[in-house]
Each structure stands twice: as structure tokens, then as C-alpha cells.
Amino acid sequence: GKCLVMAAGFLLQFASAPAVVAPRRHPAVVGRASTIGGTPAVTDRTAVGTLSLPSLGIGTIAWNGKTEEDKARIAGVAAAAQARGLDFFDTAERYGASPLSLIPAALAGLGLPVDKSYLGGDCESNLAEWGRGATVATKFTPTPWRRQASDVVDAARGSCERLGVDSIDLYQLHMPDIIQPFRAFGVVDRKDEIYWDGLAEAYKSGLIRNVGVSNYGGALLERAQEHLARQGVPLVSNQIAFNLLCRREGSLATLEKGNELGVRTLAYYPLAMGLLTGKLAARNLRQAVLEKRVSPQRAADLCRYLEGGSGGTAGDIPRNGVLPLLEAVSDVAAARSKTPAQVALNWVMCKGAIPVGGASSVSQVEDNLGALGWRLEPSEVGQLDAAADDLPFDFKGAGFQTTDSKFVGYGFERWVLN
């Protein structure tokens, strides 16, 4: 019942927003790099543990095609990315599953006899074909029924089987142990250290080559590093939401702490769900809802960021939303003969992180590729920082996809970076 009330609330929040001023438009620029032979992804690379990765990764949460046409399209995107040197794909055992499938996790935590077997894994299975020859990172999902270090080892073995590999290039904990069904009754059973022990066992057994975490704030990151170091296991990465619109509430501080510790930050939502591309328009989002291509909750939140408004995941956004920042990004892009998306991705790299963005078409792969092989000048980074600082809000996600929580069937469970 609580879940239904929450869903209904999201739908009711899809209300009209104040008028928006159109952004200044610059002449179209190509800003794309050449392909095989001259691709900057071959030379613009970053060391993460034992891996040499392109300084731009590809997230695969949407690579679970439901139709043969979708599967063929995604296979083509993956092939095009690898041909251009973008051979780092990030996935998770959860990708391909619905949020409601975590309801059994909550029920199992209550000791009820429910099926605990399905966590997803469809994207991993697809990458056995589409990602063959690439560097693939995947993730372990903390759940109430996983209570031993051996559960991490078993899960890593399952991911190996689905990916069709003997060992995983980079294995990450998807989030802190936040799924706590008894929290409302004052009972919290955190198993983070048990999961760190499981990572160490999987690493020493050869199932995983490198160890990472996700959605860890600086304090927890340091604890995890120290715990693993005592067992001779290096912690090489931490994946968090980070972009020009998502720097407050601990994101930037966590990245800086990672730099201090020698733990590389992987940045998901580097383009803030498309808001930083300059291509999203509120009228198109509303039309996409009518055509059932975008959920009402997600579209309503994205429209709030674009136009201003209150409610939903976005919260209170002033009139014209992200427009002042988009104008600053567009100014830098025009001076650089780059696209706004390329500038926004490059800004993430300049902060010391590897952006991990989605790609649903070959043209998107090519546009993202243009973010590599160069870096913004410090003055340009400062210009973008100042424009972002002037906004009185942060990007918090849209709909049921947020930057600080997971929808786990019975509600949202949150983590805190700061």
C-alpha cells in the first residue's frame, strides 16, 4: 500500500511548470573524433588498478533489449564502441531486473520462505556476446539474505558464468548495505565488513582481478580501503553520481578523498540524464510520455530541471532551471568547436574521474568519443565551476532513478556521501 501511494504521488507531481526562456543557440559543430587508427580512446587512457581503461566508459543499464530489433541495435552500438577504442563497459548483476524484484530481498530479510534466486543478470549475459574482448566491470548487490563472505564469492562466480569469463576485470559492491527492512523498528544489521571480506576472498581466489565499491562516501571509502589493505587487497575504484549538476552533498568531497587515497572515481550520470547535452526539451519529453517512451515520473522531473517547478525527485527548482549553466557550457563548447556533451564529459575528466555514460546509438558513441584526446584549460574549468555554483540546487536524479538511493520494492533506501 505504501508503495502504491508513493507511485501515485509521483504521477500527481507531473504538473505544469512556469514558462522557460529559450537558450542561446550557437552554430552547430561536429566535434567528433575519427575512428579506427586515429581514435583518441587508444591513447587517452587511465590506470585503474591493473587495468588500462579509456578515460571514458560506457554504462550498460539500458542494454537489455526486449525485441530482436533492440538487441541488434545495442549489438551494433557495442561493436562500434569497441572499434573506436571505447572498450570499457560497466554493468551489474542487477541490470535487467525491475526494482520490484527486490521485494523478495525484503521478505527474505523477515525470514519468510520466498524465491531469492533472481536478481537480474540479463545485461551480464548479453555482454558475454556484445562485450567479448572488452574490459567489463560488474557489481554485487547487498541484500538481507546475503550474510556471509562466501555469498560474495558465489555471486562473483555467477557473474563470471553469465559474462563467459574465468575472472572479472573489476568487481564492485553496488552500494553500502542499505537494504534494512527492520530499520523502522530500530533494528539495523549492517554487513559491509562481511562483504569486504568476500571481495578479498574472491580476489585471492582469482575470480576477480580488481576490487571496487560504489556509492561510498569518503569516510566509508577510507574504512573499506583500510579493511582490505589489512588482507593485502587494493581498493582501486569508487563509482558515484558526479557531474556539473551533481557536486554538492558530498560528491565532490568524495571524489577528492578518492584522489587523496589513490582510489579512482568512476562517475555515473556524467551528463545528468541528458540535461547537460543541451538536447533535451520539455515539449519533447511530454510528447514522449504520451507515446509511452518515457515514464511520467522521469519526464516530470526532467521538465522541472529544464523549466523550474517543485515536487518529485528534483525538488524545488527555480524558474529556467539549468539554463544558466547550459549557456556557460555552450559558450565553452562553441569556443572549442565541441558539443556541450563533450565539454561536460571533459569537465568530469579534469576533476580526475572517469565518466561512465550510457550510449544507445552509434552517433552517441561518436559524439562521446569527441570528449577524449584533449582537456579543458583551468580557466575554462573555473568558468564552468562558477556557473554551477550559481545554481541553488543539485541534480538528484529523475523518477525512480536517483543519485542517493535505490528503490527496493517497499520504498527507497538511501546512502549519504557526506
Side-chain angles (χ1 to χ4, degrees), residues 22-23 35 43 62 83 116 128 135 140 142 144 170 174 204 224 256 260 286 329 332 335 358 366 397:
T35 55
T43 55
K116 304 178 294 186
T135 298
F140 167 91
L170 173 60
H174 207 147
K204 292 177 180 179
E256 291 171 347
E260 174 191 323
R286 294 185 174 108
V329 173
V332 174
E366 293 176 345

Side-chain angles (χ1 to χ4, degrees), residues 97-413:
S98 70
L100 291 177
S101 68
L102 266 182
I103 288 180
L107 297 178
L110 298 173
L112 298 178
V114 296
D115 179 15
K116 304 178 294 186
S117 60
Y118 181 67
L119 278 173
D122 295 348
C123 283
E124 287 182 329
S125 299
N126 289 335
L127 282 174
E129 176 183 353
W130 302 336
R132 188 177 296 116
T135 298
V136 176
T138 191
K139 307 180 192 74
F140 167 91
T141 304
T143 55
W145 74 75
R146 288 173 156 173
R147 309 189 59 79
Q148 303 177 59
S150 60
D151 291 326
V152 180
V153 177
D154 291 343
R157 188 174 292 110
S159 289
C160 281
E161 292 173 357
R162 288 187 293 272
L163 289 167
V165 298
D166 295 325
S167 61
I168 299 167
D169 296 314
L170 173 60
Y171 197 56
Q172 308 154 93
L173 297 183
H174 207 147
M175 54 194 171
D177 187 24
I178 58 172
I179 304 178
Q180 301 291 333
F182 288 128
R183 190 192 306 272
F185 303 100
V187 178
V188 176
D189 178 25
R190 293 292 293 265
K191 303 176 292 298
D192 296 288
E193 293 190 359
I194 292 174
Y195 296 147
W196 300 339
D197 289 339
L199 288 175
E201 288 185 24
Y203 176 82
K204 292 177 180 179
S205 71
L207 277 174
I208 60 180
R209 295 192 181 100
N210 293 276
V211 170
V213 293
S214 302
N215 300 308
Y216 273 38
L220 190 59
L221 184 66
E222 189 166 21
R223 275 185 55 205
Q225 185 188 52
E226 291 173 352
H227 188 97
L228 290 164
R230 287 194 291 270
Q231 302 181 58
V233 178
L235 178 62
V236 305
S237 67
N238 180 30
Q239 188 166 165
I240 61 172
F242 183 70
N243 58 59
L244 265 168
L245 280 168
C246 184
R247 307 184 311 143
R248 302 180 179 97
E249 300 184 12
S251 294
L252 184 57
T254 296
L255 180 146
E256 291 171 347
K257 185 64 173 181
N259 290 344
E260 174 191 323
L261 297 174
V263 178
R264 182 68 61 179
T265 296
L266 308 182
Y268 66 89
Y269 295 149
L271 295 174
M273 294 184 178
L275 289 168
L276 292 171
T277 66
K279 296 178 181 179
L280 283 186
R283 63 180 180 277
N284 294 339
L285 286 166
R286 294 185 174 108
Q287 182 61 35
V289 171
L290 296 176
E291 296 173 1
K292 298 184 177 180
R293 292 185 287 110
V294 178
S295 73
Q297 303 97 313
R298 182 185 179 102
D301 276 319
L302 292 175
C303 286
R304 290 185 187 99
Y305 289 120
L306 290 167
E307 299 176 326
S310 298
T313 298
D316 296 328
I317 308 297
R319 182 179 178 180
N320 295 327
V322 301
L323 176 61
L325 176 59
L326 288 180
E327 290 184 340
V329 173
S330 296
D331 287 341
V332 174
R336 281 275 186 172
S337 294
K338 295 290 181 180
T339 67
Q342 290 164 356
V343 168
L345 291 171
N346 199 274
W347 177 89
V348 173
M349 298 176 204
C350 288
K351 295 297 182 179
I354 296 178
V356 180
S360 59
S361 67
V362 173
S363 63
Q364 195 172 9
V365 169
E366 293 176 345
D367 188 65
N368 289 352
L369 190 69
L372 295 173
W374 59 281
R375 291 295 183 271
L376 292 164
E377 294 294 334
S379 60
E380 294 170 315
V381 173
Q383 179 182 344
L384 296 174
D385 286 345
D389 286 340
D390 285 342
L391 294 180
F393 62 91
D394 246 22
F395 173 74
K396 299 178 181 178
F400 288 89
Q401 292 180 302
T402 68
T403 61
D404 64 352
S405 64
K406 291 290 182 185
F407 182 67
V408 295
Y410 58 82
F412 286 92
E413 290 279 18

